Amino acid sequence: QVQLVESGGGLVQAGGSLRLSCEVSGRTFSFYDMGWFRQAPGKERAFVGFITRGGYSLYADSVKGRFTTSKDSAKNTVYLQMNSLKPEDTAVYYCAASSAYARSRVEEYAYWGQGTQVTVSS
């Protein structure tokens, strides 16, 4: 079974930065397309960004220019660097993995991290 372990969430002030980590076990993460999603209270889980096994990445308009996802093959870990954080970024953030094609839709991903809370204060 593939497991994804997330870390790096916390409380930051508006304008600050956080880096989320998602370590993938089960097989080498180069097998996977990786996505980031977030879910605010009372809202559906929403796309944040993805990075494919080939290195192609894309971001939601709401985070474009502020968030960046990257890989560290040696650590089997994917990162989400979040800069210029806004209160509206407050949510539980989830990483997700798929061994098949996956981009921006929740239903494309078979494996999910446990979620990590990001809270941005104004």
Side-chain angles (χ1 to χ4, degrees), residues 8-120:
L11 173 65
V12 297
Q13 296 182 48
S17 298
L18 281 175
R19 188 175 75 162
L20 306 184
S21 299
C22 178
E23 185 176 5
V24 181
S25 64
R27 66 190 304 187
T28 304
F29 89 132
S30 60
F31 284 96
Y32 303 108
D33 289 346
M34 301 292 300
W36 290 97
F37 295 80
R38 65 188 182 185
Q39 189 164 21
K43 303 293 185 180
E44 293 186 345
R45 194 164 298 186
F47 169 70
V48 174
F50 65 74
I51 183 164
T52 71
R53 66 204 78 193
Y56 172 68
S57 61
L58 189 72
Y59 305 91
D61 288 343
S62 58
V63 307
K64 194 175 300 180
R66 300 187 297 120
F67 291 12
T68 305
T69 188
S70 61
K71 303 178 181 180
D72 186 334
S73 296
K75 295 183 177 181
N76 212 39
T77 299
V78 177
Y79 302 97
L80 183 68
Q81 179 67 46
M82 305 185 294
N83 299 324
S84 301
L85 283 161
K86 306 174 180 180
E88 64 200 61
D89 295 319
T90 295
V92 177
Y93 282 71
Y94 298 90
C95 64
S98 176
S99 59
Y101 176 96
R103 296 293 185 265
S104 63
R105 301 182 67 184
V106 168
E107 55 265 39
E108 293 171 329
Y109 293 88
Y111 310 107
W112 292 85
Q114 81 280 11
T116 185
Q117 177 71 46
V118 172
T119 302
V120 185

